[in-house]
């Protein structure tokens, strides 16, 4: 599945500088309220407010094959959580060198924990607090 991507470098920098962050063992997640979410809603086919998602994987991870595997695992973990998240945010996930050789469920568990810590899960209707 294709996610709306963060395409501008300045938005990555803005998320790094101003966003809430979580530093885990394998990934770092930065979350920032998207100021242009209402404008992007007009161009969305179903007129929904969506999150823009970006992945950053440095050459410290290893060869291109290892970097692409890390990105694939991060995308899969995000896809499993996307429908449970609040909308209208910039979400940047940065891979750490320790991600090399990890299984997908480990990354998904860490991302789930990080999103819970960042209070990004949408409220579930009908559930008591």
């Amino acid at each position: 599945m294709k996610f709306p991507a963060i395409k501008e470098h300045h938005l990555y920098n803005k998320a790094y500088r101003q966003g809430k962050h979580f530093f885990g063992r394998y990934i770092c997640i930065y979350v920032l309220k998207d100021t242009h979410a209402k404008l992007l809603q007009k161009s969305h086919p179903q007129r929904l407010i969506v999150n823009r998602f970006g992945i950053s994987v440095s050459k410290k991870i290893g060869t291109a094959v290892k970097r692409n595997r890390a990105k694939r695992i991060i995308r899969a973990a995000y896809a499993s959580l996307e429908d449970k998240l609040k909308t209208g945010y910039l979400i940047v996930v940065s891979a750490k060198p320790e991600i090399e050789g990890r299984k997908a469920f480990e990354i998904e568990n860490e991302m789930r924990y990080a999103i819970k810590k960042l209070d990004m899960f949408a409220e579930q209707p009908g559930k008591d607090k």
Side-chain angles (χ1 to χ4, degrees):
M1 176 175 196
K2 189 88 168 158
F3 307 112
I6 299 174
K7 294 181 180 156
E8 299 88 9
H9 183 69
H10 68 92
L11 291 176
Y12 279 92
N13 289 336
K14 191 173 181 181
Y16 292 145
R17 280 184 274 118
Q18 298 174 9
K20 295 189 297 182
H21 58 270
F22 173 85
F23 299 113
R25 184 180 299 168
Y26 310 121
I27 57 174
C28 302
I29 298 181
Y30 301 87
V31 175
L32 181 67
K33 188 77 173 163
D34 191 358
T35 56
H36 288 74
K38 293 282 186 187
L39 294 173
L40 294 171
Q41 178 184 12
K42 295 175 184 174
S43 65
H44 192 273
Q46 288 91 25
R47 302 285 189 235
L48 298 175
I49 296 176
V50 294
N51 293 326
R52 288 196 278 173
F53 181 67
I55 300 175
S56 173
V57 180
S58 77
K59 288 189 177 181
K60 291 179 186 177
I61 304 298
T63 62
V65 172
K66 293 176 183 175
R67 291 193 303 272
N68 287 332
R69 182 179 186 278
K71 288 188 273 189
R72 217 172 28 250
I73 289 172
I74 290 170
R75 273 190 218 102
Y78 179 75
S80 68
L81 299 172
E82 183 187 26
D83 58 342
K84 301 173 185 97
L85 299 178
K86 294 178 183 177
T87 57
Y89 287 86
L90 297 173
I91 300 173
V92 177
V93 179
S94 179
K96 294 173 94 175
E98 291 81 11
I99 199 171
E100 182 183 342
R102 299 293 163 213
K103 301 292 182 191
F105 73 90
E106 293 176 290
I107 306 307
E108 185 175 340
N109 288 341
E110 184 164 307
M111 188 176 286
R112 186 181 311 276
Y113 179 76
I115 287 178
K116 184 177 180 183
K117 283 291 188 184
L118 292 170
D119 193 33
M120 282 295 296
F121 281 115
E123 295 296 322
Q124 297 295 327
K127 287 196 174 182
D128 295 346
K129 290 185 179 180

